[in-house]
Structure formats: C-alpha cells, structure tokens
Amino acid sequence: MPSSETMERYGDGYLEERNLVQRWPTPIPQILNLVLLGALFYATWWIFQDPRGWLRLYTPFVGYNYCRWLLIIFIWMVYIFNFWPFRRVWLERTHPVVKAVVLTSIAFVIMMIVIKGFFEGLLGSYGLAYFSPDQMQKIGITEFFAEEYAALAILMFAALASWLSPAWIVGMEGAPWHKERQPVRGITILLVTFFLATIIFFMTMHPHMGILYKEWQSFAAIAPPWWHDFADTVSGNFHVSWIMCCTVVVWLVETIWERYPFRVIRHDWARRFATFFGIIAIAFACHFFLYFAQELWWGEAVRGTRRLMAPDWRWLHVGEMMIFFLLPALFITFYFGNWPRKGSPTYRVAVRTLVTLVAAIVIYWLYYNTSHLFLGTQKGFSHPQQFPMIPTIWLINIMLINHWFMDNWPGWKIAPQTSTESARNETAMDPALKPAE
Amino acid sequence: MTESSQGPTNDRRAFLRGAVGGTALGALGMMGAYSYSPLRRAHFDTAEGAKTDIGAVKSLKVTNISETSWFNNADLIGDIRGAGGLLVNQYKFNWPPFADKNGKLAEGSYADGIKHIKADLPNNLERAWAFQMENAVHPENAGGYAALLEIEMRDGSTKKILLDSGWSYDWIDKAFQREGIDTMLANGEIDALIISHEHFDHFWGFPVSMKYAPEIDVYVPDGFYEEGFQYVKDSGHRGKLHVMKPGLTPLFDGVAIYNFAIPIITRVYGENSLYVNIEGKGLVSVTGCCHQGIIRFAETALKEIKMDKLYGIYGGLHISPFDDWDPKYDDLVFTLGDYGFEKIGANHCTGLLTVKKFIARGLPVVQGTARFGSKDPVYLGNGDQIGFGREVPLMSPVSAEVAPAAYSPPASGAGDDAVKGATY
C-alpha cells in the first residue's frame, strides 16, 4: 500500500476539526440556513412524500421506510465510516453543493440496495415473507397493505440501527475497535451494531409481525407477544417508543449534553458502559414518563380502543414526542455552535436542555395545528396517517446533509485555521465531540 | 480519549459535577419508575361526572339497507394507493359521482365533477350515473352504506331514522326500492337523515334520498368540508341542515347523536354515531363506520349517559375494512367481551376477519344471510334485520320475498343474482 494511502485519514475527525466560519454576523447565517433548510424540506417533501404532491410516498410506512433508512445511512457514512472512501482533501476542497449531491446520491443508492436488494429481495424471498410485498401478496394480502407491512418491518431495522450505531460511537466510544483504520473500523462496528439490531428486532418487532397473520404464527413467533400484559397492548409500538427514546437520547447526550454526566467517569470502560447503558436508562425513564404525561393530559388509556385513547397509539406518541426534542437540540448544536459555550458544564447543559424543551413544545404545538395545511397530513393527533416522525426525520436528514456534507453552506464556510485559533480550538474544543481514537 | 481520562484537574469540581449529574439522572430514573407504577393512578380523575338522561324507548329495529360499500377491496385500495395513499382528498380520486371527462385517477375535483351532473340532481339520477359509468374510475365498484332505524317510542308511536345514503346512485336507489325506503321517504315517514360522516360510501349517494324527500331534516357532522356542504345544496336539499358539534346531542326521547371530532382517511373529519336507550335492556350503539372505535364509543356512553348497561351494537365498526390486520386490532378482540354487550350486528367496515375472531372468542354476534351482495354470513348482511328489545325475523319481509334463501356467494360476488340485478 502506498504511504499516502497509509496516512490517509479520510473524514476521521473532520467534523470536529473543520473551521466553520460564519459569513455574516449572527443571526443572518442562521436565518439564511433556516430558509434554505425550509425550502429544501418543502420542495423534497412535495416531490417525495406529500399526499398532494408528486410521488406521494407518505402512505405512511413506505415513505417512512425511505426516510429512516436515509437517516441511518447518513449516520453510517459519517459516524461509522468517517466518510471513507472519500479522502480528506476532497472533503476539504470540494464545493459543499457538489459534496452534498455526491454523498446524498451515494446514500440513496445504498438505501435502495439495502431495501430492495437485501430486505425485499434476499430476506423477503428466501427467509421471512413479511419483508417482501410480493411474497405477502402471494398469500393473499392486498398490495397496499403488503407494501405497508413490509415497509414497517424493514424500517424497524433502520430504527434500531439509528439507536445502536451512534450509541456505539457515543456510548462505547467505538471501542474496542476505535484504533482500527477505516474501513475495518466501520465494517466491524456496522456488523456488530447490525447484529445487535437483529437480535432486538427478533425480540420486539418479530412477534408484532407474527400476529399480523391469520392464524397467528404461533410456531414462529411468541403469540400473543410477551409484553402484552404490562404494555397493555400486543402492538410493537411499545418497543417503537423506547427505541425512539434511545435514538433521541443518544443525540441529546452527544450534542447539547456534551456527553455529560458520563464523561466525568475516568475509567475508560466504566465510562463506556455507563454511557451506553445510561442512555438506555434515561430513554426508559422518558418512555414511561411521557406515557404518564399523556395519561394526565388525555386520561388513562383504554385497551382495545383506537387512536387517542389506545395504549398502542400512546406508546407510538411517546416516540413522536421525543423526536420533537431532537430538532431544536440539533439546531442549537449545528447552527448556534452549541450555545452557550461559556459557564460551567452544569449551566451549559441546563440552559440548552431548557431551551430545547421550550422549543420542542412550541414546535409540537405548531406542528399539530398546521401540519395538515402545509404537509398534507391528517388533522388531529392520533390518526394512523398523522405521523410526525416522517416530516421531522425528513427535516433532520436535510439538516444532516447541510451540516455534515455541506459544512453549513451558505451561511458558513470552511476557513483555514490560524495557529492561534488552532491552539484555542485545541483547548476549547469539547473533547466529547472529538472523534473516537 | 476524553478529558476526564487524562487525570483530575480539580477533584472538588469533578465531585460536584458527578454529584449533580448523578442526582439529575437519579431523579430522572425515579420519575420514570413512578410514571409506570400503580402509584401514578392517584393522579387520575376518578370522580364521576354528571350523566345525561337521554330518556328511553321501547325497542329498536335496524334494517340493513346496504352494508356493501364496495365490492372489491383490491380495486378500492388499489385506487387509494394509486392516488397517493390514505390521505388524498376523496374528491380528487375521479370516483363516481364526481368524474370529470378526463377520468384519470387522482386528477379530479368536486368542481370538475359536479358540473357534469348538477343539472340531473336529484331527479335524473339514471343519466347522472350513466355518465359515471363511462368516465369515472371504477364506477362498478361503488355500492354504499345505509340503514333504517325504526324506534318504538314509549308512547307507542314510531320514529324512523335513515342513517346514511350510500354511494352509487344506482345501487342505493335499488336497495331503497327493495326495502321500501323510497316510499317511506316520499310519504314523509322518515323523520331524519343522519349522515354519519362525509365518506364517499356514506354520503355521495345523498341525491337518491333527495329524489324522494328533499325537505327531510339532515344531520351532518361538524368537520364537513366545503365540497360536502356544496353537494348537499347541489343535490337539491331544501330542508333543515343540522351540523352536529362534538359531544352529545339528544334527538328524540331515548335517542341521541354523539359527534366525535376525529380525523378519518381521505381527508374526512368528524363522525356522528347514535345511542338508543332501550327501556329495561340497556344502551344500543348504532354506527356508520365507528371511526372513533367501538370501545371509545362504549366508554363515552359509560361516562356520559344514564343507562342500565351496554346492550347492543349495530353497524360498521371500522376495524379491518380491507381485511388488513394490525396487532392493535387484537387488543379490541381481547377486550370487547368485557363490556357485556348482548347482541352484536356487525358488517360493512368491521372486517370479515374481525367478526370471525369475535365469533371464535364467543362474542354474541348475530349472523346474517349473505344476500344482495353481502359476502359472508358472519356479517348482518343486506336485507337483514336485528331487533333490540324486540324479536324480529332475520330477513326483512320485503327482502325475503325477493330472495328467501340465505346463501354464501363466492367472495368475488360473481354468481350473486342480486348483484347482477344492479346495473353492473
């Protein structure tokens, strides 16, 4: 291997080391990027998702499937593979728009290979029928529902991976493979987290899929599912809830919490396990608390009923509520430099958490009062076609493209670091946001 | 490697950070544990609110005029999928009776559709429907939902309510004629037409009712869209139009409408359902589609209405209308028996699979005769009757004259002479 290849770092540490400089004083770049994000969101929503638009993928699960897989593939490309095989110089010198087009196109191709090739073509045709719309139609399920059921099953893998893959980087700090070079590190962590996702899928969503059929697939899945007594429902939404909580908590810990309080633990493996399982513990606390909050607001859920009062929807809505916290948390980190940067960690984390909470409540209120007008979703909270995780994750995908692939263009640009800045950044930079070594 | 692993810079600070973080995490954990413990129930409002006395009636007979809203699930759901899914505005589908000359799926509108038939409403419905047969998307798949409620009042008089007006002009007009609804409407014997919700299969046959009784009192749910109100006018309605606000509205002694403000597929909002309190028996729930869910309907009654008990159910329960399934539907199958219903007449959007699961679980389902296009005897089918507080023959007398034998036609409906009796 040539020496230049040996020394190539690809995108390892790129996000933390790039020197993003605002082109104009605050808040012009923030407003400009918000306008760009909004325009891109709305244009792509209309093209791909909107029930009044062009491709109308918001069925909802078909559209949600693509949305979730794009998210996890972005995470894989950036967090697990550190942009491999793209060289560092390409990342630093290519125009942000070109990078966005190239990298998003690659993500799209990978997504289609995973969904159509791996899940529908391979697993669906040769393993489990519920991954393949064609196989389900052969046993008499209507085309529409065959596509919806398959999309649900496939997207749950993405949902699990979007928790586990970043959790391995944030919680376990990529260990014990953090010192491996790319692509060995990426492939290893990908395989390990996908394996864990598979185990959890079979314990959570497989029994859900198993009772979709008549008769219940009692020989192949636990039916009724093992959780139905304490979750008050046979629906897998019970798991959707805590898995979404885990997904969001990972990013809260990574961004606005700067990996506090776990980072104060000095012993490496103790810190890693505490972070990884601490995220799960926090997620379960949110999972139960937000369910309780709904009971306080709407009354105790009644098993067997539909929508607002149904336990299955209440669990789903826990996940929906959590995603509203993620939007402002990411925005604060990406576009406000994780403000505030001064003061004690407790102060910083408390202020950001408070701002995130308030912003999430405002966005939640706005969403449920307006989304049926501008997104074409169903009015109200609880209709199966009112699925806020799709537009919110769609917007998050666009934010990730802008922040990860486009270096916050057009409001920001990459500037060469002066030696003073470099030294200051080295001391001021949040070590928690540094790449795993 | 993180900052903390590089060694302590300030032990006291690190201790405080750890203490603050640990306390915060502990508090979060306690909050989570408490949130799903039995202790949380102390926060729920268990006080019984004031219940409304809606009165009582002697008995109720429901005649199923038509529960077959469409004949082929694959065509209907295929259209929905092709148009862009369950949220697409129903007036855009180019379904009958709002076909435009383009006739392409998902490219229609109320304005483009109504202009071709407005002149024919409500007295030349044959011509209006003939246009649909030539231009609409899957006009042969349109049927419709309608039921007649005959209520024996405590003073011995009878009140009649027509619940919904179907979809296909041709199908529902023939069903009206088969059950004698046309004559009842024309003679002013029917006191009210209650439209459960704006969906195509419950409302778009509205001109057929107007053909016979344009002055009838009509009740629609709050949430009707502009197109719906315009269609009421364009159909020639000249009577009172009542828009039911969310909540309970007594209609007659012993009968009340309950409006649920709920979102429904194909951009429909709000549903009217009926409670009929049978003296000495209990409360009967009568629904078009019951999008609110039968358990919620029952829970609402238990919370808001004075009654002896929950007694009966009639109508579509909207559980697996396309014989799709979701595990949450099993939650309903598990729990419906706990409510003590004694008679259940289910059909239409309930889902054959659901009713079969009800029967397997021992629920008191009154099965039907599978005539006039109804596909399976587990449904209380077209031309069948159910009595609450009185015994009635399973077949309505007039339908028994036309088709006296119960049978199970093939699932496709092919070979069903009663269906062949329609235009298609």
Side-chain angles (χ1 to χ4, degrees):
Chain A
M1 190 179 289
S3 60
S4 61
E5 181 71 12
T6 312
M7 298 304 290
E8 175 59 49
R9 290 179 64 208
Y10 303 104
D12 199 357
Y14 170 72
L15 294 181
E16 297 77 13
E17 292 166 19
R18 63 185 171 172
N19 184 27
L20 289 183
V21 179
Q22 288 187 186
R23 291 173 191 264
W24 303 279
T26 305
I28 297 170
Q30 286 79 7
I31 294 171
L32 186 65
N33 277 43
L34 191 61
V35 169
L36 176 77
L37 292 176
L40 273 174
F41 169 80
Y42 205 71
T44 51
W45 180 264
W46 182 264
I47 292 168
F48 293 103
Q49 301 278 5
D50 197 312
R52 306 157 303 178
W54 186 26
L55 295 176
R56 303 182 182 185
L57 297 174
Y58 186 97
T59 57
F61 284 118
V62 171
Y64 189 35
N65 191 19
Y66 292 122
C67 188
R68 286 309 295 249
W69 272 104
L70 266 185
L71 174 68
I72 184 57
I73 289 165
F74 290 154
I75 292 170
W76 283 346
M77 287 170 70
V78 175
Y79 254 60
I80 306 292
F81 282 91
N82 305 122
F83 294 95
W84 177 86
F86 290 93
R87 292 171 183 274
R88 185 56 155 263
V89 67
W90 185 85
L91 293 171
E92 289 170 347
R93 293 184 187 170
T94 309
H95 191 278
V97 176
V98 176
K99 281 202 294 185
V101 170
V102 171
L103 294 169
T104 307
S105 303
I106 289 170
F108 177 81
V109 171
I110 296 171
M111 176 189 75
M112 295 308 287
I113 291 170
V114 169
I115 293 176
K116 297 293 175 189
F118 178 70
F119 281 104
E120 292 187 11
L122 189 68
L123 286 188
S125 300
Y126 302 105
L128 294 161
Y130 60 67
F131 284 122
S132 164
D134 292 340
Q135 293 297 327
M136 278 194 280
Q137 284 178 71
K138 283 181 190 168
I139 55 175
I141 293 176
T142 312
E143 183 183 8
F144 178 83
F145 289 103
E147 288 181 345
E148 289 291 275
Y149 295 163
L152 172 63
I154 296 169
L155 78 87
M156 279 312 297
F157 261 99
L160 283 161
S162 5
W163 154 43
L164 287 163
S165 292
W168 203 271
I169 300 297
V170 175
M172 301 302 285
E173 300 166 7
W177 307 285
H178 54 300
K179 290 181 180 165
E180 298 291 341
R181 298 197 62 79
Q182 295 292 8
V184 175
R185 184 202 309 167
I187 290 171
T188 310
I189 294 175
L190 175 72
L191 290 177
V192 167
T193 53
F194 203 78
F195 172 68
L196 287 176
T198 305
I199 291 172
I200 297 172
F201 178 91
F202 276 102
M203 290 164 62
T204 56
M205 288 312 289
H206 178 69
H208 175 99
M209 302 304 293
I211 63 170
L212 271 176
Y213 300 95
K214 183 181 181 281
E215 304 295 325
W216 283 355
Q217 306 299 292
S218 306
F219 289 105
I222 303 302
W226 52 270
W227 59 81
H228 85 105
D229 277 335
F230 61 86
D232 224 14
T233 178
V234 292
S235 170
N237 282 348
F238 174 73
H239 302 293
V240 172
S241 169
W242 68 261
I243 290 164
M244 277 308 299
C245 291
C246 286
T247 306
V248 173
V249 172
V250 169
W251 291 106
L252 295 182
V253 169
E254 172 71 339
T255 56
I256 61 170
W257 292 1
E258 304 173 37
R259 299 193 188 181
Y260 281 107
F262 307 107
R263 60 184 292 175
V264 301
I265 301 170
R266 290 170 190 161
H267 186 276
D268 285 346
W269 279 103
R271 182 180 61 255
R272 287 166 188 160
F273 277 104
T275 311
F276 188 84
F277 291 104
I279 285 167
I280 296 171
I282 295 169
F284 265 90
C286 296
H287 166 70
F288 290 127
F289 176 72
L290 291 176
Y291 187 89
F292 178 46
Q294 293 178 72
E295 290 185 310
L296 291 174
W297 191 259
W298 284 311
E300 193 172 6
V302 179
R303 186 173 183 182
T305 195
R306 299 160 63 90
R307 303 185 183 167
L308 198 73
M309 300 302 287
D312 69 278
W313 180 80
R314 294 278 179 91
W315 289 122
L316 177 70
H317 195 55
V318 168
E320 292 172 343
M321 284 194 276
M322 282 303 284
I323 204 78
F324 283 101
F325 291 110
L326 188 54
L327 273 177
L330 292 182
F331 202 83
I332 288 168
T333 304
F334 291 173
Y335 300 107
F336 285 95
N338 223 10
W339 175 89
R341 300 289 291 180
K342 292 178 182 171
S344 71
T346 310
Y347 166 79
R348 296 199 304 264
V349 169
V351 168
R352 286 182 209 131
T353 305
L354 190 66
V355 171
T356 299
L357 277 171
V358 172
I361 291 166
V362 170
I363 297 168
Y364 180 95
W365 182 86
L366 271 176
Y367 176 85
Y368 281 107
N369 279 283
T370 62
S371 72
H372 59 282
L373 300 173
F374 71 96
L375 296 180
T377 60
Q378 183 58 279
K379 263 198 274 190
F381 287 93
S382 57
H383 193 274
Q385 272 67 47
Q386 173 54 285
F387 217 97
M389 282 194 243
I390 305 177
T392 46
I393 294 176
W394 195 253
L395 179 58
I396 286 168
N397 283 343
I398 290 170
M399 282 169 69
L400 294 179
I401 290 170
N402 185 244
H403 184 66
W404 285 349
F405 298 166
M406 298 175 75
D407 308 312
N408 283 10
W409 183 90
W412 282 256
K413 64 180 178 184
I414 294 184
Q417 287 185 335
T418 63
S419 54
T420 318
E421 281 170 340
S422 184
R424 190 172 65 232
N425 284 345
E426 200 56 39
T427 51
M429 187 185 294
D430 177 359
L433 298 178
K434 284 182 179 176
E437 289 176 9
Chain B
M1 187 177 289
T2 64
E3 182 187 11
S4 53
S5 64
Q6 292 169 340
T9 54
N10 186 321
D11 279 350
R12 196 168 63 125
R13 224 179 229 185
F15 172 76
L16 281 173
R17 278 183 195 175
V20 168
T23 306
L25 284 183
L28 201 61
M30 288 298 292
M31 189 177 79
Y34 180 80
S35 295
Y36 210 58
S37 74
L39 293 173
R40 79 190 196 284
R41 292 180 195 280
H43 299 273
F44 299 152
D45 181 16
T46 50
E48 290 227 342
K51 292 185 177 180
T52 303
D53 185 354
I54 64 167
V57 302
K58 273 190 181 171
S59 69
L60 164 69
K61 180 177 86 172
V62 183
T63 303
N64 174 5
I65 302 164
S66 173
E67 57 85 17
T68 41
S69 279
W70 55 86
F71 302 101
N72 187 313
N73 273 338
D75 283 347
L76 189 91
I77 203 70
D79 288 348
I80 290 173
R81 178 178 169 274
L86 295 163
L87 287 181
V88 175
N89 175 357
Q90 60 177 349
Y91 292 99
K92 295 192 77 163
F93 279 82
N94 244 323
W95 275 338
F98 302 116
D100 61 15
K101 286 207 166 172
N102 154 358
K104 286 185 183 168
L105 182 64
E107 292 186 11
S109 71
Y110 180 80
D112 287 342
I114 195 71
K115 67 186 179 193
H116 297 291
I117 57 169
K118 191 172 175 181
D120 294 326
L121 303 185
N123 294 317
N124 201 347
L125 298 180
E126 294 76 10
R127 193 163 75 181
W129 199 253
F131 180 83
Q132 307 307 316
M133 293 303 290
E134 287 178 13
N135 296 286
V137 172
H138 282 133
E140 77 293 344
N141 202 28
Y145 178 94
L148 178 71
L149 282 67
E150 294 175 80
I151 302 154
E152 188 185 0
M153 309 298 284
R154 287 189 286 193
D155 64 6
S157 64
T158 300
K159 295 276 189 189
K160 291 181 183 172
I161 296 171
L162 181 59
L163 176 62
D164 291 329
S165 195
W167 178 4
S168 158
Y169 298 168
D170 182 70
W171 174 265
I172 210 67
D173 203 356
K174 284 188 167 63
F176 276 8
Q177 290 166 22
R178 186 191 72 227
E179 300 297 334
I181 309 298
D182 53 340
T183 309
M184 291 181 208
L185 282 167
N187 292 342
E189 293 172 36
I190 297 182
D191 299 276
L193 167 57
I194 295 174
I195 299 296
S196 63
H197 61 297
E198 200 180 341
H199 259 159
F200 46 91
D201 53 321
H202 295 256
F203 172 56
W204 285 1
F206 188 75
V208 180
S209 295
M210 295 305 103
K211 174 179 159 185
Y212 300 110
E215 306 280 353
I216 194 169
D217 275 14
V218 172
Y219 295 76
V220 299
D222 190 26
F224 246 49
Y225 285 84
E226 191 185 338
E227 295 100 320
F229 285 117
Q230 190 59 45
Y231 190 42
V232 170
K233 285 183 196 163
D234 290 343
S235 301
H237 180 237
R238 300 196 297 268
K240 282 186 185 168
L241 179 66
H242 307 264
V243 180
M244 306 311 294
K245 297 293 175 195
L248 188 72
T249 307
L251 190 63
F252 312 127
D253 181 30
V255 182
I257 298 176
Y258 203 102
N259 175 274
F260 290 89
I262 44 162
I264 308 171
I265 62 166
T266 67
R267 200 211 57 163
V268 168
Y269 198 86
E271 177 157 342
N272 290 333
S273 301
L274 286 152
Y275 290 120
V276 182
N277 191 26
I278 314 289
E279 198 170 41
K281 289 287 186 182
L283 198 75
V284 179
S285 303
V286 181
T287 56
C289 272
C290 203
H291 288 100
Q292 67 273 16
I294 187 62
I295 301 289
R296 180 174 172 195
F297 199 29
E299 288 280 344
T300 303
L302 290 169
K303 200 179 286 180
E304 296 191 27
I305 297 175
K306 280 186 185 170
M307 69 175 114
D308 294 333
K309 67 183 288 294
L310 293 166
Y311 170 49
I313 293 172
Y314 173 80
L317 302 183
H318 205 82
I319 298 159
S320 58
F322 310 113
D323 283 322
D324 57 310
W325 200 251
D326 188 290
K328 66 191 171 203
Y329 305 156
D330 281 310
D331 286 334
L332 169 69
V333 177
F334 278 139
T335 53
L336 187 60
D338 299 341
Y339 288 82
F341 288 105
E342 293 176 29
K343 266 188 171 180
I344 299 173
N347 51 36
H348 179 48
C349 56
T350 308
L352 292 170
L353 184 52
T354 304
V355 182
K356 286 172 183 171
K357 288 195 176 198
F358 282 171
I359 293 167
R361 204 161 172 85
L363 295 178
V365 172
V366 177
Q367 298 188 50
T369 59
R371 298 170 302 149
F372 308 109
S374 288
K375 287 179 179 174
D376 194 301
V378 298
Y379 272 178
L380 197 74
N382 295 342
D384 293 338
Q385 305 180 128
I386 185 169
F388 299 98
R390 64 192 278 198
E391 292 305 316
V392 298
L394 185 56
M395 296 182 192
S396 71
V398 284
S399 75
E401 285 177 22
V402 181
Y407 60 92
S408 301
S412 64
D416 182 346
D417 290 339
V419 175
K420 282 180 184 165
T423 318
Y424 34 81

